[in-house]
Amino acid sequence: MRSYVFLLAIFCLVSLCVPSSLSADERSASQAAEQFNVIYPEGLLELDPHQANTVLTAQLHTALYEGLVTLDPRTLLPEPALAEDWTISKDEKVYTFRIRKGVLFSDGTPLDAYSFYRSFLRLVDPNIPKEYAYLLDGVKNVMRYRLNKEGSISDLGLRVLSPWVFEITLEYPIPYFLSLLAHHAFVPISSYQLPVMWKDYSRIAYSGPYVVSKYSADNMHLVKNPFYWDKDNVNIPELSITMSNDALQNTVMFDNSKSDWVLGPFDPKSLKKRSALKINPSFSTQFFYFADDHPAFQDVRVREALFLLIPWQELRNLYSTPALGLVPTLPKSLGYSSFQGFKTDKKRALKLLARAGYPQGRGLPELVIATSYIHDNAAKTIASAWLQLDTTVRVFVPEGDYFNYLDHNKPTLAAYGWVADYLDPIAFLSLFASTNPLNKSIYKDPVYDRFLFSSNLRKNKSRMRILSDAESTLLNSFIVVPINHPPSSSLIDLTIIRGWYENPLDIHPFKYLSFGVNEDIRKSMIGRFISYGES
C-alpha cells in the first residue's frame, strides 16, 4: 500500500501516566458520549474503496467499510465480518462464504452475496482498470479477463450460489487469501451505488460501523451506522478527523487532550505526554526504482554501474532501520533468505560504463531523481556520487500530487514507499510483476514472473525459498534501491484508550476502540516503573 511516512529522530524517556481516580467502568461511562478525535495530515481522503491507495485512507476505511472478513486487531488473523462463516475445499481452491442474513447498507438497502459479486466485478473490469485489481489475479480466469478481456464474467471464479452464499474459486491455493480479503478493495457495493456518488459522502452506501456525516477541507465527521450488523459492539458514537500539517499545533492539541490520536505530523521535542509516543516496527519499505525506459537504462551494465557508485554505507547511516533488500527481514525459522545488500565499487562501476559505451558516463542522458521531502536526503546522497560522472544530475520534488507525477513521467529514479497489506513477502515482490498495474518501473522479466507463480504451487519453507530467489533475481537486476524499513509512528495514550494494539501492518480498526482506563497497560507500565526503580 502506498504510504506517506513521517520519519522522526526521537530520543525520549518513558514517563508514567497517572490514571484517573475513577474506576475503569466509571471512566467508560463518563466518556460514552464523547467523540474520538483524530489528526490526519492534510490531503484528500478517497472514499471510493476501489480507488483508495494510502495507509491513512486504509485506516479511515476500517470505519466506513467491512468485507467478508476482518483482521483481529491483536493477532492480525482473519475473523468473521459480513460473512458469518466459511468453508474451504480440500484442495484449498474453493472458498464458500455464508453472508449474515438481514444485514443492510447504511442507506437501508440489502447487503447480500450479490453485493460482493457486484464489487468484485467492478474491481476487475478491464474497461476501467483499478490499481488493486491484481490482488484478485489468483481467482480463476481473472487475470486473463482483466488484462486481455478474454472470456466473460461467467468464466470467472466468482459465483453467487444464493443471496446469502458467495463462492470464490482460485487458480491455485493462496495461503494468505483470507487475510487478503480483509483489504478495503473487497468490500461490498450496493446496487444503488452509482459511480458519481463516490464524490458525495452523503450518497454513499457504507457497510462499516460508521458513516460520514460532514466533510470539509480540514475536517471529516463520522457517526455510528444505525444499520451496521454489530452496532451494539461499537463503543465510540462519533469520530472527528482533523487534517493538519502543523506539527507543533498537533502536539499541543494532543497534550491538552483535544486530540486522542495523532497520525499527522507532530513535534516529539515539545511533547509532554511522552508515554503516548508509539514507534513500532512496520512491515514496510522505502526505496527508489528505475523508471526511465531510455535505451541506456535498459542495459543492465549501466544500472549496475550506477548502483556500484552509490555510497551504500553513507546511505544506510541516514536511517535507524536501513534496508538491505526490498522485503523486510523475516524470522530465519520461516526459511526466507534475506538479501544481504549492495556494496560500493567505483573501479568496477567505471569499467562497466566503458564496456557499455559510456566511458566516465559520457553520453548518458540526464540522471533525474524524483523524490519527496521524506526521501530528499537519500536522493541527494545518491546524486552526490553520480555527480562524478560526465553527465548532468538533478534532484527535484515534483509539485502537486507526487503519485500523479509518477503516473505521467519517467524520471531515472523515483522514490516510493510501501506498507504491506498482509504479512507475506509476496506483498512486496508482486509490486514488480509484469502484470501489476502498480509496477511503474522498467522491469518486466518473465523469469521473475515465473518465480512468483511457482511460489503459489509450494508451501511453507519450500515456498519461502522460491520467494527469496525471486527477490535476489529482482535486486540483482539493479532496478530497486532499498533505503529504509520505516517504523510507524503516532501519538495515542493507551492508558485511557482500549482496543489499539501494536502490529506490523499498522492497521487499528476504529470499531474496536473505546474510552476507559486500560488496566492491562496501566499494570504493565507500573511493573516496568517498579523494575526500573529497583535496578
Side-chain angles (χ1 to χ4, degrees):
M1 183 174 296
R2 290 174 175 178
S3 168
Y4 293 105
V5 181
F6 294 90
L7 299 179
L8 305 171
I10 300 169
F11 298 90
C12 65
L13 295 174
V14 177
S15 62
L16 179 64
C17 290
V18 180
S20 164
S21 59
L22 294 176
S23 69
D25 291 339
E26 289 171 332
R27 181 65 176 268
S28 297
S30 69
Q31 294 184 320
E34 294 182 17
Q35 68 181 19
F36 187 80
N37 298 304
V38 188
I39 295 180
Y40 265 40
E42 294 175 4
L44 177 68
L45 294 174
E46 176 61 64
L47 296 179
D48 183 343
H50 289 162
Q51 299 293 348
N53 56 19
T54 69
V55 171
L56 293 172
T57 308
Q59 177 61 49
L60 169 67
H61 284 207
T62 67
L64 301 178
Y65 304 107
E66 193 166 84
L68 294 164
V69 303
T70 188
L71 298 181
D72 181 281
R74 278 185 197 262
T75 66
L76 296 181
L77 294 175
E79 60 180 21
L82 290 173
E84 60 184 357
D85 59 31
W86 54 82
T87 59
I88 305 173
S89 63
K90 288 185 178 180
D91 63 3
E92 300 180 19
K93 293 198 296 185
V94 181
Y95 288 68
T96 306
F97 295 90
R98 280 202 311 138
I99 313 301
R100 298 179 188 275
K101 292 185 178 180
V103 293
L104 302 171
F105 285 99
S106 60
D107 62 355
T109 56
L111 194 164
D112 54 21
Y114 292 101
S115 307
F116 286 97
Y117 183 68
R118 184 181 303 113
S119 176
F120 284 32
L121 290 183
R122 178 179 185 252
L123 181 62
V124 301
D125 185 347
N127 298 307
I128 311 175
K130 309 289 193 310
E131 284 189 347
Y132 286 113
Y134 78 94
L135 293 177
L136 279 181
D137 280 354
V139 174
K140 185 179 178 181
N141 294 325
V142 160
M143 185 186 294
R144 289 190 291 272
Y145 175 73
R146 76 170 182 86
L147 292 178
N148 305 315
K149 300 183 180 181
E150 293 181 6
S152 64
I153 59 174
S154 61
D155 299 319
L156 305 181
L158 305 169
R159 294 177 62 200
V160 174
L161 302 185
S162 80
W164 313 113
V165 180
F166 184 49
E167 182 185 87
I168 303 175
T169 302
L170 306 179
E171 296 273 10
Y172 39 78
I174 300 178
Y176 51 87
F177 187 64
L178 281 175
S179 296
L180 188 64
L181 289 178
H183 192 280
H184 58 73
F186 304 127
V187 301
I189 291 179
S190 168
S191 60
Y192 294 91
Q193 187 76 48
L194 300 176
V196 68
M197 293 181 180
W198 296 112
K199 300 300 180 183
D200 183 349
Y201 67 87
S202 65
R203 302 176 67 194
I204 295 175
Y206 302 99
S207 56
Y210 294 91
V211 301
V212 179
S213 63
K214 296 178 183 178
Y215 189 11
S216 64
D218 58 2
N219 183 264
M220 177 182 286
H221 195 84
L222 287 71
V223 297
K224 282 179 67 171
N225 176 2
F227 292 107
Y228 179 57
W229 69 274
D230 198 25
K231 62 181 181 296
D232 292 341
N233 287 315
V234 179
N235 295 297
I236 297 176
E238 298 182 21
L239 306 175
S240 178
I241 298 175
T242 299
M243 278 74 86
S244 168
N245 283 343
D246 189 328
L248 181 58
Q249 178 183 316
N250 294 346
T251 309
V252 172
M253 290 280 287
F254 182 80
D255 278 331
N256 291 332
S257 300
K258 302 295 184 183
S259 172
D260 300 298
W261 187 13
V262 179
L263 288 165
F266 55 86
D267 179 20
K269 293 181 180 179
S270 64
L271 179 66
K272 296 177 182 178
K273 297 181 180 179
R274 308 298 290 180
S275 64
L277 176 58
K278 305 303 173 189
I279 302 178
N280 305 308
S282 177
F283 202 42
S284 62
T285 305
Q286 294 174 336
F287 56 91
F288 290 89
Y289 65 87
F290 266 95
D292 192 343
D293 55 6
H294 187 283
F297 305 123
Q298 297 287 351
D299 190 329
V300 68
R301 294 172 298 182
V302 172
R303 298 198 304 270
E304 182 179 0
L306 293 175
F307 267 57
L308 292 172
L309 289 172
I310 294 174
W312 287 100
Q313 193 55 51
E314 182 181 346
L315 185 64
R316 292 173 190 134
N317 288 342
L318 294 174
Y319 303 99
S320 60
T321 52
L324 297 181
L326 178 63
V327 179
T329 303
L330 298 171
K332 292 183 178 180
S333 60
L334 295 178
Y336 192 93
S337 299
S338 297
F339 192 78
Q340 296 304 303
F342 296 102
K343 294 182 179 180
T344 306
D345 189 339
K346 181 179 177 181
K347 185 177 180 180
R348 175 169 167 76
L350 295 177
K351 285 183 178 180
L352 286 170
L353 285 174
R355 292 172 188 167
Y358 303 99
Q360 299 294 321
R362 288 191 296 275
L364 285 177
E366 181 182 32
L367 302 176
V368 179
I369 305 177
T371 186
S372 67
Y373 75 93
I374 298 171
H375 310 287
D376 191 46
N377 286 336
K380 289 177 179 176
T381 299
I382 296 171
S384 66
W386 290 355
L387 282 170
Q388 63 190 285
L389 297 175
D390 191 6
T391 187
T392 56
V393 182
R394 180 164 57 99
V395 174
F396 82 109
V397 177
E399 295 182 0
D401 183 81
Y402 179 75
F403 294 119
N404 183 62
Y405 166 82
L406 295 184
D407 288 339
H408 298 91
N409 296 274
K410 294 181 178 295
T412 310
L413 285 186
Y416 207 78
W418 190 255
V419 180
D421 298 299
Y422 48 96
L423 294 174
D424 194 278
I426 205 167
F428 294 92
L429 300 176
S430 62
L431 289 174
F432 292 91
S434 301
T435 56
N436 192 332
L438 290 173
N439 183 5
K440 310 295 183 183
S441 76
I442 62 174
Y443 191 67
K444 303 289 187 294
D445 184 356
V447 174
Y448 181 75
D449 293 339
R450 282 197 293 273
F451 270 123
L452 298 186
F453 177 78
S454 61
S455 73
N456 295 307
L457 307 179
R458 303 293 181 88
K459 292 184 178 182
N460 304 323
K461 290 186 177 181
S462 176
R463 177 173 177 271
M464 288 296 167
R465 283 194 291 270
I466 293 175
L467 290 176
S468 62
D469 287 345
E471 183 181 17
S472 294
T473 298
L474 169 66
L475 294 176
N476 286 320
S477 296
F478 308 100
I479 292 291
V480 180
V481 180
I483 56 174
N484 187 28
H485 297 306
S488 63
S489 59
S490 60
L491 301 179
I492 187 167
D493 187 349
L494 296 185
T495 65
I496 58 173
I497 301 296
R498 298 169 174 163
W500 193 103
Y501 305 99
E502 299 176 3
N503 67 71
L505 297 185
D506 198 25
I507 287 292
H508 313 277
F510 282 107
K511 170 182 176 176
Y512 299 106
L513 302 183
S514 64
F515 289 111
V517 174
N518 192 328
E519 291 296 332
D520 290 340
I521 295 294
R522 178 175 174 272
K523 291 175 182 176
S524 172
M525 292 183 71
I526 291 175
R528 198 182 325 145
F529 179 75
I530 293 172
S531 298
Y532 176 78
E534 291 175 345
S535 64

